[in-house]
């Protein structure tokens, strides 16, 4: 029982599960804050009922996001103690700032929002939700900055047998992190938009609470359209940056073996890591990979063969993950674009509504796949170029990790099932008939 | 040296604040099955901490995060050595958090009973295990110069460790009962007041035994004999403990709650002052002990983080105090009728 492998599995389980809840929280808080502000400004009861309905779903989701987040901060110490010692000087401070500056704000104000309906004016109550939305997204910024350091370490020097901070501003203005931030936070909004549109579609198909859900759907549609396009554009910048900073990741994303100029983009392939080639390749577009990676059809793209074997990430999950993410991303643009032209005829578009209902899982899958590309694609490094994952784990017994891993899978599986059951239950139940 | 010493003090302070705040949540959750006989009483108890527990729990994340940032080697060695107890604590906290949220979401007796159990376990176990963990740290943990742990989880349950666990549970029970004295009304309040008096009668002898046992089981007092002014910490703690009882008798429940908070802070600082400059002493090899001086981050990181903490933590305290003040009144029927209430 290899503690490194088990710890990786455990961290993957914990983060991927945590991330089933985080993006919705990031996105929907902004949308709910907008809805509640509309209520505070216009006094229209429909916006209050909207706020309460989406708020309830958000709170179930939020609880799961919070509790699953606690374990993550501590897993760096429990399972990755060599890592923590090596980069704690830089990485630890980012986590500490996240907790003290932003997570405090979010957690304290959520209590005020939930229990403060009667104690605060409508305007003040709406403002509390803006604080929550801002704090949640700012938390995300710090965490993504920390992740950006693992992807593309900057602002440090190796001293005293560890990476020590030399330039704090270089760390927080790391271009790699900034791209992650502008890719990830709008993805949260995009996921929330599809969540809202999908559930609204369910009720519109049943022709119930038509006004409330038409309004909700249209808010989701606007947000979804803008964000799906924005996410894709930033994604392109991200790709160029990866091509420059992490050539091995790019090569794995594309299952690209031979270094060549005018590198083609392969739409589908089955990579064979032993033979160092693709078993099957379908739909090759000449020069396209060079263009996507470097915005130049003739650029030279490093192939996996020119990367030492012990520095190559696993190709298959990165390759498939990337294709799934991009495929879904494209689909989301088409769905919202089409919806934009149907926005005044939603009730006459049952097929589209049904499609949107069944599209709820799509952004979830895309986001999880995106993270798989980011994190698996970084392997075998835990901090790119300076520390390998194999050297980062704690000196603990495999059996301990096996126990906790089993615990994580059982407990998270159970809580996830209950959480999604409750969200579905309250989503179907619809808004309370009258509030106040 | 000064910078590292300041950080050592801040490190202790953050843990103390965590136990002062989430401590009464643990206490309320532990009292929950004993005081909450009817569904209404149970809901009053949960809703008494409902708006605040989440913000309180963040002090744990901040204490953990600051350990990571300021003393990465301590963060790494402490949490990997205490792997199993920490995992148990974290899982307990997970269950406590979702239990509050899930319990009222389905109207079914068995469902509610299930989450009732988790509210109790998710409050009692962390209280106990944190106590066990800190008492073991006071004694020293068997790890070598490479940070390799040579003990096992069961050895943590030694008499002094268990005594620490019981002390923590009692401190939090007292603090939680004091909170319920503020936040409840009627019969539940009468029961809570009676319980807060009884707990005190147990807490006092346990605290005395712990102070004596610490002399034999740990070397915490070495610092005290070297710098006798430190005995003031113990004095203040004892005064706070007696003030708790005094204010309960006077029905000044806010003051009693502040007094029990101070008792908790005193108990933590009793240990912290004895440990200085060690954050994580080794019982195998004195040289391997992790101290504020050999396990800290670089001066630059310590300075930046000091700036952050000195600006942000006071702000956090201000808005949390505002939130506490906002929810200081007893839980009413109107509160329970709210759609969002737990």
């Amino acid at each position: 029982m290899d503690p490194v492998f088990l710890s990786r599995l455990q961290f993957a389980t914990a983060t991927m599960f945590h991330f089933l809840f985080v993006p919705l929280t990031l996105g929907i808080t902004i949308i709910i804050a907008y809805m509640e502000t509309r209520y505070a400004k216009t006094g229209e009861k429909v916006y209050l009922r909207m706020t309460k309905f989406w708020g309830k779903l958000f709170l179930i989701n939020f609880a799961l996001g919070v509790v699953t987040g606690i374990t993550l901060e501590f897993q760096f110490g429990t399972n990755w103690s060599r890592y923590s010692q090596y980069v704690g000087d830089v990485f630890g401070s980012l986590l500490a700032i996240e907790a003290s500056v932003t997570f405090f704000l979010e957690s304290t104000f959520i209590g005020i929002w939930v229990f403060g309906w009667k104690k605060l004016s409508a305007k003040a109550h709406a403002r509390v939700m803006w604080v929550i939305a801002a704090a949640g997204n700012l938390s995300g910024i710090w965490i993504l900055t920390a992740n950006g350091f693992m992807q593309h370490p900057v602002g440090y020097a190796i001293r005293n047998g560890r990476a020590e901070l030399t330039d704090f501003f270089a760390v927080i203005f790391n271009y790699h992190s900034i791209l992650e931030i502008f890719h990830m936070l709008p993805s949260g909004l995009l996921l929330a938009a599809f969540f809202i549109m999908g559930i609204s579609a369910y009720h519109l198909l049943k022709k119930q609470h038509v006004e409330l859900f038409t309004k909700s759907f249209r808010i989701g549609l606007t947000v979804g359209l803008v964000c799906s396009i924005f996410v894709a554009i930033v994604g392109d910048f991200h790709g160029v940056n990866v091509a420059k900073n992490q050539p091995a990741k790019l090569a794995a994303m594309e299952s690209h073996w031979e270094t060549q100029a005018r590198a083609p983009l392969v739409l589908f392939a089955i990579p064979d890591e032993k033979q160092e080639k693709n078993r099957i390749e379908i739909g090759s577009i000449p020069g396209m990979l060079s263009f996507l990676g470097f915005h130049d059809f003739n650029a030279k793209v490093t192939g996996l063969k020119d990367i030492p074997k012990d520095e190559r990430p696993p190709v298959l999950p990165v390759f498939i993950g990337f294709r799934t993410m991009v495929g879904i991303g494209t689909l989301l643009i088409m769905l919202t674009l089409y919806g934009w032209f149907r926005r005044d005829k939603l009730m006459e578009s049952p097929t589209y509504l049904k499609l949107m209902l069944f599209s709820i899982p799509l952004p979830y899958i895309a986001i999880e796949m995106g993270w798989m590309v980011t994190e698996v694609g970084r392997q075998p490094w835990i901090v790119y170029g300076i520390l390998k994952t194999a050297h980062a784990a704690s000196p603990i017994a495999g059996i301990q990790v096996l126990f906790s891993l089993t615990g994580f899978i059982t407990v998270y599986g159970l809580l996830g099932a209950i959480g999604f059951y409750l969200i579905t239950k309250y989503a179907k139940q619809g808004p309370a008939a009258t509030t106040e | 040296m000064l910078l590292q010493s300041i950080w050592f003090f801040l490190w202790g302070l953050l843990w103390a604040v965590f136990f002062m705040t989430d401590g009464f949540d643990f206490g309320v959750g532990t009292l929950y099955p004993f005081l909450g006989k009817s569904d209404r009483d149970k809901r009053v108890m949960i809703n008494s901490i409902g708006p605040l527990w989440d913000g309180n729990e963040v002090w744990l994340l901040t204490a953990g995060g600051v350990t990571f940032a300021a003393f990465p080697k301590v963060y790494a060695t402490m949490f990997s050595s205490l792997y199993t107890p920490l995992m148990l604590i974290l899982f307990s906290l997970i269950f406590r958090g979702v239990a509050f949220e899930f319990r009222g979401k389905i109207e079914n007796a068995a469902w509610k009973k299930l989450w009732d159990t988790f509210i109790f376990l998710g409050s009692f176990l962390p209280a106990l295990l944190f106590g066990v963990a800190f008492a073991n740290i006071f004694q020293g943990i068997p790890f070598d110069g490479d940070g390799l742990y040579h003990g096992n989880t069961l050895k943590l349950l030694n008499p002094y460790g268990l005594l620490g666990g019981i002390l923590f549970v009692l401190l939090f029970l007292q603090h939680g009962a004091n909170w319920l004295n503020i936040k409840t009304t009627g019969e539940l309040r009468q029961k809570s007041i009676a319980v807060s008096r009884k707990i005190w009668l147990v807490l006092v002898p346990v605290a005395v035994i712990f102070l004596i046992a610490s002399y034999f089981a740990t070397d915490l007092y070495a610092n005290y004999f070297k710098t006798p002014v430190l005995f003031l910490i113990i004095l203040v703690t004892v005064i706070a403990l007696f003030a708790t009882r005094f204010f309960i008798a006077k029905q000044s429940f806010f003051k009693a709650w502040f007094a029990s908070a101070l008792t908790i802070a005193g108990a933590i600082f009793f240990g912290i002052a004895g440990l200085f400059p060690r954050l994580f002493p080794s019982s195998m090899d004195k040289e391997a002990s992790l101290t504020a001086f050999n396990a800290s981050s670089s001066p630059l990181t310590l300075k930046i983080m000091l700036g952050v903490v000195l600006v942000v933590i006071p702000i956090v305290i201000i808005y949390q105090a505002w939130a506490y003040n906002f929810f200081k009144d007893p839980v009413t029927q109107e509160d329970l009728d709210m759609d969002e209430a737990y």
Side-chain angles (χ1 to χ4, degrees):
Chain A
M1 267 177 296
D2 175 19
V4 179
F5 174 72
L6 291 171
S7 293
R8 285 185 64 187
L9 210 56
Q10 176 169 303
F11 203 84
T13 310
T15 33
M16 290 183 93
F17 188 81
H18 179 55
F19 230 73
L20 286 175
F21 306 100
V22 173
L24 182 64
T25 295
L26 294 179
I28 207 166
T29 44
I30 298 176
I31 300 177
I32 293 174
Y34 167 76
M35 291 170 174
E36 201 179 352
T37 305
R38 286 297 296 267
Y39 167 65
K41 283 207 172 132
T42 64
E44 284 178 53
K45 282 277 187 259
V46 63
Y47 284 108
L48 176 64
R49 291 172 61 220
M50 262 158 94
T51 305
K52 290 222 167 194
F53 173 73
W54 298 112
K56 189 160 208 163
L57 303 185
F58 153 64
L59 287 173
I60 301 171
N61 179 78
F62 181 76
L64 284 157
V66 167
V67 297
T68 53
I70 306 169
T71 57
L72 284 176
E73 193 199 60
F74 289 96
Q75 272 193 62
F76 292 108
T78 52
N79 294 68
W80 303 100
S81 65
R82 303 284 190 221
Y83 165 82
S84 304
Q85 282 187 48
Y86 199 73
V87 296
D89 201 66
V90 187
F91 188 86
S93 51
L94 299 172
L95 291 199
I97 294 175
E98 189 267 340
S100 58
V101 178
T102 55
F103 194 46
F104 256 131
L105 206 57
E106 188 180 17
S107 299
T108 308
F109 278 77
I110 200 94
I112 294 169
W113 193 78
V114 175
F115 292 88
W117 280 100
K118 297 256 160 61
K119 294 189 167 84
L120 286 170
S121 71
K123 263 198 189 125
H125 198 264
R127 256 182 244 133
V128 170
M129 187 44 101
W130 281 113
V131 173
I132 295 167
N137 282 279
L138 283 169
S139 267
I141 288 178
W142 287 106
I143 297 296
L144 291 168
T145 304
N147 182 265
F149 178 79
M150 299 169 82
Q151 302 289 344
H152 182 57
V154 290
Y156 72 97
I158 304 290
R159 279 195 302 239
N160 305 317
R162 63 179 179 181
E164 291 195 349
L165 184 68
T166 55
D167 185 349
F168 185 63
F169 288 100
V171 175
I172 51 175
F173 294 113
N174 184 351
Y175 183 59
H176 200 104
S177 313
I178 290 171
L179 286 174
E180 282 192 31
I181 290 163
F182 281 102
H183 192 52
M184 184 59 242
L185 298 187
S187 299
L189 263 173
L190 177 58
L191 180 140
F194 269 81
F195 181 85
I196 288 176
M197 285 190 281
I199 291 168
S200 300
Y202 171 85
H203 290 284
L204 292 178
L205 282 164
K206 294 204 153 190
K207 301 193 175 20
Q208 55 201 16
H209 312 288
V210 173
E211 190 203 357
L212 190 155
F213 284 112
T214 306
K215 281 201 156 91
S216 297
F217 192 103
R218 290 178 53 140
I219 294 170
L221 191 58
T222 311
V223 174
L225 181 61
V226 174
C227 290
S228 60
I229 294 169
F230 187 80
V231 167
I233 294 171
V234 179
D236 173 65
F237 280 94
H238 212 352
V240 172
N241 194 49
V242 165
K244 195 178 83 187
N245 292 335
Q246 300 179 315
K249 184 188 277 181
L250 180 79
M253 277 156 68
E254 300 296 346
S255 194
H256 177 64
W257 295 97
E258 308 284 346
T259 302
Q260 63 189 107
R262 264 186 92 73
L265 178 82
V266 180
L267 290 181
F268 184 76
I270 297 177
D272 184 338
E273 292 182 45
K274 279 217 180 81
Q275 309 256 344
E276 302 190 312
K277 65 179 176 74
N278 293 331
R279 231 175 288 162
I280 306 169
E281 282 189 3
I282 302 167
S284 174
I285 309 169
M288 199 60 193
L289 177 55
S290 295
F291 180 75
L292 288 178
F294 299 90
H295 287 177
D296 169 6
F297 284 104
N298 293 311
K300 195 162 97 177
V301 181
T302 311
L304 284 162
K305 277 189 177 174
D306 282 317
I307 291 158
K309 273 196 174 160
D310 61 354
E311 290 184 13
R312 290 180 199 168
V315 181
L316 187 67
V318 180
F319 176 78
I320 292 182
F322 183 65
R323 262 146 194 72
T324 314
M325 175 185 76
V326 172
I328 291 177
T330 314
L331 191 60
L332 299 186
I333 295 177
M334 295 194 304
L335 282 170
T336 44
L337 209 54
Y338 177 78
W340 188 253
F341 295 103
R342 306 289 303 179
R343 67 185 186 278
D344 294 321
K345 295 178 279 231
L346 287 174
M347 294 303 284
E348 293 108 80
S349 320
T351 319
Y352 174 66
L353 289 177
K354 238 176 243 168
L355 209 58
M356 290 308 282
L357 171 59
F358 290 110
S359 296
I360 294 176
L362 292 180
Y364 284 89
I365 299 169
I367 286 176
E368 295 282 348
M369 287 299 123
W371 275 110
M372 192 164 83
V373 173
T374 310
E375 299 296 286
V376 178
R378 190 192 60 225
Q379 303 301 327
W381 301 99
I382 192 163
V383 183
Y384 201 80
I386 66 172
L387 182 68
K388 283 197 170 164
T389 311
H391 304 144
S394 304
I396 46 175
I399 186 83
Q400 272 182 305
V401 189
L402 187 68
F403 273 124
S404 59
L405 173 63
T406 315
F408 271 104
I409 293 173
T410 322
V411 170
Y412 280 14
L414 199 75
L415 296 183
I418 295 170
F420 281 114
Y421 166 77
L422 288 176
I423 290 175
T424 313
K425 179 188 153 182
Y426 282 100
K428 280 186 177 169
Q429 195 175 306
T434 48
T435 332
E436 307 301 289
Chain B
M1 283 285 270
L2 177 67
L3 196 57
Q4 288 153 322
S5 303
I6 292 172
W7 267 108
F8 179 87
F9 169 76
L10 281 174
W11 176 78
L13 183 68
L14 286 170
W15 281 107
V17 177
F18 166 61
F19 290 124
M20 285 159 74
T21 53
D22 218 10
F24 71 84
D25 301 328
F26 292 146
V28 171
T30 310
L31 287 169
Y32 179 76
F34 305 104
L35 289 184
K37 290 300 174 198
S38 67
D39 188 56
R40 187 182 187 280
D41 284 357
K42 282 185 181 145
R43 289 193 59 212
V44 169
M45 290 180 78
I46 306 173
N47 283 286
S48 79
I49 55 172
L52 301 171
W53 72 269
D54 197 1
N56 294 341
E57 197 177 80
V58 182
W59 288 99
L60 172 64
L61 292 179
T62 303
V66 158
T67 312
F68 199 173
F71 304 107
K73 219 169 168 181
V74 175
Y75 173 85
T77 313
M78 183 187 284
F79 295 148
S80 60
S81 300
L82 302 175
Y83 188 93
T84 306
L86 186 69
M87 283 292 170
L88 279 172
I89 289 175
L90 296 178
F91 277 111
S92 306
L93 293 178
I94 288 179
F95 274 108
R96 177 183 71 148
V98 292
F100 292 144
E101 184 67 31
F102 286 172
R103 184 183 180 276
K105 289 281 185 293
I106 292 176
E107 275 306 320
N108 173 299
W111 171 265
K112 287 191 168 177
K113 194 147 180 109
L114 175 74
W115 297 110
D116 285 347
T117 313
F118 283 125
I119 288 173
F120 171 72
L121 287 177
S123 308
F124 171 71
L125 281 179
L128 182 77
L129 291 171
F130 272 121
V132 171
F134 270 87
N136 273 284
I137 292 171
F138 295 166
Q139 289 184 105
I141 302 282
F143 68 92
D144 63 26
D146 294 324
L148 199 64
Y149 180 58
H150 291 274
N152 68 55
T153 305
L154 284 178
K155 277 197 194 140
L156 296 175
L157 301 176
N158 54 65
Y160 183 72
L162 282 173
L163 185 62
I166 293 166
L167 177 69
F168 267 48
V169 171
L170 286 165
L171 282 169
F172 298 154
L173 279 173
Q174 182 72 63
H175 201 31
N178 287 353
W179 180 252
L180 289 175
N181 292 348
I182 297 171
K183 290 288 289 184
T184 57
T185 48
E187 209 180 313
L188 181 58
R189 188 180 203 216
Q190 294 312 316
K191 279 200 282 182
S192 154
I193 293 172
V195 162
S196 67
R197 292 161 188 251
K198 280 185 201 150
I199 293 166
W200 191 84
L201 286 178
V202 190
L203 174 58
V204 172
V206 171
V208 172
I209 295 169
F210 186 81
L211 281 174
I212 297 168
S214 299
Y215 181 78
F216 297 101
T218 74
D219 56 6
L220 291 180
Y221 284 106
N223 279 349
Y224 286 80
F225 290 121
K226 215 163 43 185
T227 322
V229 67
L230 290 175
F231 277 106
L232 277 177
I233 297 174
I234 301 177
L235 185 69
V236 169
T237 312
V238 172
I239 293 172
L241 182 58
F242 279 87
T244 307
R245 183 65 183 83
F246 174 73
F247 288 124
I248 293 173
K250 278 192 69 180
Q251 308 254 327
S252 305
F253 295 123
F254 272 106
K255 286 179 184 158
W257 181 77
F258 279 112
S260 55
L262 188 59
T263 314
I264 291 172
I268 299 300
F269 271 100
F270 160 71
I272 298 291
L275 281 175
F276 183 82
R278 298 162 304 168
L279 294 116
F280 200 58
S282 165
S283 60
M284 287 175 68
D285 174 6
K286 270 203 158 157
E287 297 297 304
S289 291
L290 299 177
T291 71
F293 308 122
N294 71 14
S296 77
S297 280
S298 65
L300 179 63
T301 299
L302 291 181
K303 273 182 213 154
I304 291 172
M305 286 308 298
L306 188 62
V308 171
V309 166
L310 289 185
V311 172
V312 171
I313 295 299
I315 297 174
V316 172
I317 291 175
I318 289 169
Y319 66 64
Q320 284 211 338
W322 176 70
Y324 271 64
N325 188 46
F326 204 66
F327 295 109
K328 67 177 186 300
D329 297 322
V331 179
T332 61
Q333 188 58 42
E334 197 191 24
D335 292 331
L336 294 180
D337 289 342
M338 260 192 354
D339 198 33
E340 292 81 8
Y342 286 131

